[in-house]
Amino acid sequence: MKTLIKNATAVLPTGSVKTSVLIEGNRIADIAPAGQSSADETVDATGLHLIPGVIDDQVHFREPGLTHKEDFQHATRACAKGGVTTFLEMPNTQPNTITADALESKLALAAGKCLVNFGFYIGATPDNLDVLKTVRRTPGIKIFIGSSTGNLLVDDQDALEQIFAETSLPICAHCEDETTVRDNMQRFAGTQDVADHSKIRDHQAALIATRRALDLAKRHDHRFHVLHVSTANELALIADHGGLITGEVCPHHLFFNIDDYARLGTRIQMNPSIKTREDNQALWQALLDETIQVIATDHAPHTLEEKQQPYPKSPSGLPAVENSLALLLDQVHRGNCSIEQVVHWMCDAPARVWDIVNKGRIAVGYDADLVLVDLQKTSTILDEQQETKSSWSPWHGTSLTGWPVRTWVNGKTVFQDGRIDNRIRGSEVQFDHARGGYWKTQ
Ligand code: DOR
């Protein structure tokens, strides 16, 4: 099957250019093909931008075990609609993904159900070092240095030293200091005010844990990715370590702050907690100056019924995959960044952070994971229109300009004209760990 996409403004690694892109099978076969290319389908993309599919390097899709909140089918329908063609998923499912068997059965489950491409982190525990040393079909190791949803936690210093010393896969971590959070929980015992969540999981908790993780990474010269950076204070620690350390920020930490609790309550209860307006601004600036490389969602759905319990019974987490690209395209519309920067943060950089083979760029020979976006289209996010099984969005009622209108996964159209093709299946992502990390591949 050959598809010729004509007249699009394609966002290439070298910049944006009005050109044609030829898809053959599951690959990008040519850019600006000479002469009259024959194709089974010709798409006239006049007025639209063609970008690589988004790679979301931090999601929680809840399968197996927690499928009343989310499952692969619903979550990847949401991805298809949102222009996300690849996801990397976290290990706090049930069972936790902490053994080679659990990883392989999750991969098999995903192959049967996911409409987009997939990879799964292996979770660290205080005593699964042998697994972490030997497992390979994974982007890397996830450590909860502070606990969040689920029971994964490695807080013991000796265990952490061993993981950083003896494993070779890249490591990423949830950085909130357990002791600080527990002390703060005692101080705020009895509170039912969700705004106190940001005082319990406070700036100090994030700073202490990120400092601790970076100290380990530097001493052991170990590739390390700081997940969901939420404070201005952490940025100075992350900046400029010659590619050893990379960082990620999430839309909720960019666009929500503590002033929003009054309006949105537990819908924006997250770990790490949302912080202040000043933190929003510093995180945005860190993207612009490349202190932070990646935008990912931390898509973490819970049912509205669960979320509507009084704090602190309400669980932390919110769904986001189907709106993350539009949220950033809306920033392009407002003149706060360029579409090339959005492609860098959401497509190219995650591919290089995790050494993903043949993804994240529009280039000949790369996988045909592509998204057509309409920078003029305005639409309002509504709970009742969400594909996620949890059926809500913290951005309910928000109008955005700039939306994905068609998504290809491995050369096949999975989303077009508002319709999702349930028959499409993504494939397991390949990682070239020998490439050795972010900056070294440039
Ligand atoms: O708020 C959160 N919820 N943060 C996490 O890191 C985990 C997530 C979840 O799985 O619910």
Side-chain angles (χ1 to χ4, degrees):
M1 167 85 179
K2 283 190 189 180
T3 307
L4 182 65
I5 305 167
K6 280 172 52 174
N7 303 324
T9 301
V11 183
L12 307 179
T14 47
S16 295
V17 51
K18 194 158 184 189
T19 189
S20 302
V21 172
L22 181 68
I23 304 172
E24 206 170 320
N26 60 349
R27 291 283 163 94
I28 297 169
D30 208 349
I31 296 170
Q36 281 296 88
S37 286
S38 62
D40 303 291
E41 184 191 3
T42 300
V43 178
D44 182 1
T46 303
L48 304 177
H49 283 70
L50 185 68
I51 67 169
V54 169
I55 299 173
D56 192 328
D57 83 352
Q58 193 190 178
V59 302
H60 302 264
F61 283 174
R62 311 299 193 201
E63 191 162 351
L66 297 161
T67 50
H68 69 286
K69 298 176 194 277
E70 185 66 289
D71 58 28
F72 284 140
Q73 270 279 321
H74 286 85
T76 59
R77 282 177 61 87
C79 286
K81 180 178 155 201
V84 177
T85 54
T86 295
F87 69 85
L88 304 181
E89 205 250 5
M90 289 297 161
N92 59 336
T93 42
Q94 286 179 7
N96 289 322
T97 320
I98 53 175
T99 64
D101 283 352
L103 177 63
E104 270 163 40
S105 65
K106 212 181 205 187
L107 284 163
L109 203 57
K113 297 186 174 186
C114 289
L115 282 71
V116 303
N117 303 312
F118 49 86
F120 298 101
Y121 294 94
I122 189 83
T125 74
D127 47 25
N128 74 341
L129 188 61
D130 284 345
V131 177
L132 305 182
K133 281 160 76 169
T134 50
V135 84
R136 276 296 166 270
R137 288 167 70 186
T138 181
I141 298 166
K142 163 71 182 283
I143 311 179
F144 283 89
I145 290 180
S147 57
S148 185
T149 305
N151 59 359
L152 285 173
L153 174 66
V154 187
D155 191 28
D156 176 69
Q157 189 65 21
D158 289 342
L160 287 169
E161 296 282 351
Q162 271 196 317
I163 295 169
F164 277 83
E166 295 182 32
T167 64
S168 61
L169 290 169
I171 298 177
C172 61
H174 181 115
C175 298
E176 284 184 297
D177 183 57
E178 195 64 14
T179 309
T180 307
V181 171
R182 285 193 188 158
D183 288 352
N184 287 339
M185 278 167 94
Q186 289 200 332
R187 285 207 296 135
F188 287 91
T191 183
Q192 294 207 325
D193 181 358
V194 67
D196 288 337
H197 192 64
S198 293
K199 299 177 188 157
I200 292 169
R201 290 178 177 267
D202 63 2
H203 284 73
Q204 267 312 94
L207 184 65
I208 292 170
T210 297
R211 184 180 287 134
R212 184 180 182 196
L214 296 191
D215 171 61
L216 284 155
K218 284 187 260 174
R219 279 192 291 106
H220 295 288
D221 193 28
H222 202 121
R223 261 290 288 128
F224 185 74
H225 187 59
V226 191
L227 299 168
H228 42 41
V229 177
S230 63
T231 71
N233 300 350
E234 290 162 281
L235 296 168
L237 301 177
I238 295 168
D240 199 17
H241 289 289
L244 189 71
I245 288 152
T246 50
E248 170 203 290
V249 67
C250 302
H252 50 273
H253 290 130
L254 289 169
F255 302 129
F256 292 133
N257 60 58
I258 51 175
D259 298 340
D260 295 310
Y261 278 126
R263 188 170 53 95
L264 295 167
T266 57
R267 282 192 174 216
I268 55 167
Q269 179 191 332
M270 276 303 285
N271 305 336
S273 66
I274 56 145
K275 303 293 192 310
T276 65
R277 185 176 296 276
E278 290 71 35
D279 293 301
N280 295 152
Q281 287 163 354
L283 293 169
W284 185 258
Q285 187 53 42
L287 283 167
L288 296 177
D289 69 23
E290 293 202 42
T291 302
I292 298 266
Q293 294 76 19
V294 171
I295 296 177
T297 60
D298 196 10
H299 179 92
H302 300 280
T303 66
L304 265 184
E305 206 180 357
E306 291 165 333
K307 290 291 275 185
Q308 280 160 356
Q309 296 170 94
Y311 184 81
K313 270 187 147 187
S314 48
S316 296
L318 54 80
V321 282
E322 67 200 272
N323 301 307
S324 57
L325 176 58
L327 283 161
L328 270 296
L329 294 177
D330 186 65
Q331 294 298 312
V332 175
H333 172 72
R334 290 164 188 253
N336 293 335
C337 62
S338 67
I339 191 164
E340 291 81 6
Q341 285 172 309
V342 171
V343 166
H344 175 75
W345 300 325
M346 303 188 83
C347 314
D348 193 316
R352 287 192 289 124
V353 162
W354 296 106
D355 290 325
I356 298 174
V357 177
N358 283 343
K359 293 197 186 294
R361 292 182 173 191
I362 300 180
V364 173
Y366 271 54
D367 296 339
D369 295 337
L370 295 165
V371 183
L372 272 179
V373 302
D374 182 349
L375 292 180
Q376 311 303 324
K377 180 177 170 172
T378 300
S379 181
T380 300
I381 298 171
L382 296 172
D383 282 353
E384 53 274 27
Q385 289 175 3
Q386 300 303 294
E387 293 293 336
T388 167
K389 194 167 183 187
S390 59
S391 294
W392 64 277
S393 165
W395 286 280
H396 171 74
T398 304
S399 171
L400 302 175
T401 299
W403 283 90
V405 293
R406 182 164 175 172
T407 307
W408 285 265
V409 171
N410 301 321
K412 294 195 180 120
T413 300
V414 66
F415 169 72
Q416 183 183 7
D417 297 332
R419 284 192 302 277
I420 298 163
D421 187 341
N422 266 326
R423 298 163 304 175
I424 304 298
R425 289 291 171 272
S427 50
E428 181 181 345
V429 175
Q430 305 299 312
F431 305 96
D432 181 3
H433 293 302
R435 281 202 300 207
Y438 186 65
W439 298 110
K440 292 173 192 162
T441 60
Q442 280 199 321

